[in-house]
Amino acid sequence: MDRESAPVTLGISERLIAGRLVYPLGYGAYTLIRGPIVDWYPYPFLDPRHQGYVSMAMGPVVLVIGFALLAVAVVALGAAVGADEPDERRSDVVVE
């Protein structure tokens, strides 16, 4: 159960998840802009030359949505498990 409660103790939130998804989205945009200039794409699923932009865009969009849903599910599960268990690291003593 430690893995499920880790998001709560680590402070992982929806805002942090959204921030972490910015990098792959930015990299995908950079690749699609740079690809035609250098005539090279780093991954076949990002290469629109053989499948077209609409078909190519479906793969990364599905991946981003899937990863976002998985991350939100982990945070929600961590919050549910963390709410039931007392935090052993917290202390009622305030140190100033």
Side-chain angles (χ1 to χ4, degrees):
M1 290 306 234
D2 288 341
R3 287 185 179 175
E4 288 82 15
S5 62
V8 174
T9 59
L10 295 175
I12 298 174
S13 66
E14 287 82 4
R15 182 176 177 192
L16 181 63
I17 293 168
R20 297 293 186 224
L21 290 174
V22 169
Y23 176 77
L25 292 172
Y27 178 74
Y30 168 76
T31 299
L32 292 176
I33 292 168
R34 184 177 182 267
I37 296 169
V38 298
D39 196 35
W40 178 79
Y41 294 87
Y43 303 104
F45 64 88
L46 287 178
D47 190 350
R49 295 178 290 188
H50 301 289
Q51 56 187 345
Y53 279 96
V54 174
S55 176
M56 182 276 313
M58 284 190 238
V61 166
V62 168
L63 284 172
V64 167
I65 290 171
F67 284 130
L69 289 174
L70 183 62
V72 169
V74 167
V75 169
L77 184 60
V81 170
D84 294 339
E85 298 177 1
D87 190 358
E88 297 168 0
R89 293 183 295 171
R90 283 190 355 199
S91 174
D92 293 329
V93 178
V94 177
V95 178
E96 294 182 16

